[in-house]
Amino acid sequence: METSALAKRLARRFVAGDTLDQALAVGRHVNSEGIAITLDHLGESVTSLEEAAEARDVYLHALSAIHDSGIQGNVSLKLTQFGLDFSYDQCRANVEQLVRRAAGLNNFVRVDMESSQYTQRTIEMVADLHARYGAVGVVIQACLYRSRNDIEELCRRAIRVRLCKGAYLEPASAAFPRKSDVDRNFVELMQFLLDRGAYPAIATHDENIIRRTEAYAAGRGIRRDAFEFQMLYGIRRDLQRRLASEGYRLRLYVPFGKAWYPYYMRRLAERPANVFFIARHLLRQ
Ligand SMILES: Cc1cc2nc3c(=O)[nH]c(=O)nc-3n(C[C@H](O)[C@H](O)[C@H](O)COP(=O)(O)OP(=O)(O)OC[C@H]3O[C@@H](n4cnc5c(N)ncnc54)[C@H](O)[C@@H]3O)c2cc1C
């Protein structure tokens, strides 16, 4: 799939391109609409520590390029791409290099959250690096039962949280099986973060939740620059434009790189209509 020209063309809806230059070009364009970005170099679950070191180098380069080009943006990474499946310590050393560089450039590293088997280690590593450098934050998924406790602890330590619903299939022992419970928990956690979080990021395309966030912030007198909304590149452009034009802070998650397949599949799985869209497109070819 990753080498098929047609599949690549379809994936371009959600992925900026294969190269950092293409991602930076998207970044410039998005910035011109008053929207910031976070760059994600695709390629989770590497198969060796050498690959993890290569991924780290791409990120180091991306941070420098963002700085040099004056783009409003930071980076988001996954710990399995930095070698977590092979060695916690080596992974930590890779992430530390990046966070140190980000701190020196007055920028920021967001550590994405993967499936629940990684949650504890991810939070521990971020907390540890945050205590040394600042410049790093984490993602919490509203689908997990544990998230309320995690958010309370992260807020106590003033670690920045991006709140999302959660993109991984989880067992009922770890996560709410019903979407309505995930949505309810998202709203509760959003309110907690707006009240007590360090510059929280509310990452969703759910219009109802976005409106509830706007209303909650307005009701509590929370300024529009005290938090940000985040969305994925290529999803709900209409909503993105509305928020930006109303003076809300918005950041788009912009993935780039050749290994786009797992990311693309998660985006398709989230919305059956996407699969129909592709089927229609293929039939037209
Ligand atoms: C900036 C950002 C970072 C993220 N980081 C992580 C992370 O680190 N870990 C993690 O597990 N998950 C992450 N996610 C994904 C997240 O967990 C959800 O899987 C994803 O955002 C879809 O949920 P939703 O909140 O948009 O709500 P949903 O209820 O799924 O969707 C609400 C509406 O959004 C639109 N929509 C949502 N998804 C799509 C799609 N794929 N295609 C077209 N329209 C769509 C539809 O209009 C839909 O009705 C991130 C999401 C964002 C926005």
Side-chain angles (χ1 to χ4, degrees):
M1 278 291 276
E2 283 169 356
T3 53
S4 145
L6 174 60
K8 207 182 253 190
R9 202 145 31 90
L10 289 168
R12 283 298 284 270
R13 175 177 165 203
F14 301 122
V15 175
D18 284 356
T19 65
L20 177 60
D21 280 346
Q22 286 171 305
L24 294 172
V26 166
R28 260 182 230 103
H29 177 69
V30 168
N31 279 180
S32 72
E33 297 179 338
I35 301 171
I37 57 159
T38 184
L39 285 185
D40 163 51
H41 180 240
L42 294 163
E44 55 213 84
S45 303
V46 295
T47 56
S48 68
L49 282 173
E50 288 71 34
E51 268 180 53
E54 282 169 25
R56 175 204 61 208
D57 291 344
V58 172
Y59 271 96
L60 285 167
H61 188 51
L63 268 183
S64 302
I66 287 171
H67 178 76
D68 295 345
S69 59
I71 284 175
Q72 282 300 314
N74 56 36
V75 293
S76 290
L77 64 88
K78 290 184 174 49
L79 293 187
T80 58
Q81 191 181 11
F82 275 57
L84 185 57
D85 285 332
F86 300 94
S87 154
Y88 181 93
D89 291 342
Q90 196 55 51
C91 173
R92 186 191 176 288
N94 285 334
V95 182
E96 181 168 12
Q97 266 198 51
L98 194 70
V99 173
R100 199 188 304 127
R101 169 79 61 89
L105 294 172
N106 208 9
N107 206 330
F108 179 76
V109 174
R110 176 78 63 180
V111 179
D112 287 347
M113 190 57 80
E114 298 173 77
S115 64
S116 58
Q117 58 170 314
Y118 299 108
T119 309
Q120 187 60 31
R121 285 174 286 171
T122 303
I123 290 174
E124 274 170 25
M125 195 184 294
V126 169
D128 180 21
L129 292 172
H130 181 269
R132 291 193 64 166
Y133 302 99
V136 61
V138 72
V139 179
I140 294 293
Q141 298 152 325
C143 65
L144 299 187
Y145 304 130
R146 58 174 290 164
S147 289
R148 174 71 186 214
N149 286 340
D150 288 336
I151 281 191
E152 287 179 10
E153 183 56 28
L154 290 161
C155 288
R156 257 195 298 279
R157 295 171 183 238
I159 297 175
R160 278 162 63 173
V161 171
R162 171 202 294 153
L163 179 64
C164 70
K165 290 190 185 179
Y168 298 84
L169 198 60
E170 296 288 356
S173 55
F176 298 103
R178 290 206 322 242
K179 188 169 184 304
S180 55
D181 289 327
V182 177
D183 291 353
R184 179 192 43 74
N185 198 37
F186 192 113
V187 170
E188 286 173 21
L189 298 178
M190 170 274 286
Q191 293 174 345
F192 188 91
L193 279 173
L194 286 188
D195 284 333
R196 287 182 234 173
Y199 191 64
I202 308 302
T204 183
H205 317 88
D206 185 326
E207 208 160 351
N208 178 40
I209 291 183
I210 288 174
R211 290 207 185 273
R212 292 187 68 170
T213 306
E214 293 174 52
Y216 190 77
R220 309 284 276 197
I222 296 166
R223 291 163 49 121
R224 288 182 186 189
D225 60 3
F227 66 98
E228 67 184 31
F229 288 109
Q230 293 190 355
M231 293 192 205
L232 303 177
Y233 175 66
I235 297 183
R236 291 300 310 262
R237 295 267 306 133
D238 54 333
L239 200 48
Q240 294 172 11
R241 288 209 193 91
R242 174 178 79 73
L243 290 172
S245 71
E246 290 177 4
Y248 287 101
R249 290 196 173 185
L250 174 64
R251 185 180 304 275
L252 290 197
Y253 187 98
V254 177
F256 72 98
K258 292 194 169 77
W260 46 263
Y261 185 72
Y263 177 86
Y264 184 56
M265 282 301 152
R266 281 198 293 278
R267 300 295 77 83
L268 293 191
E270 270 156 11
R271 197 158 171 261
N274 289 341
V275 182
F276 293 123
F277 170 82
I278 287 171
R280 249 198 351 255
H281 189 92
L282 290 175
L283 285 173
R284 269 209 310 266
Q285 293 291 309

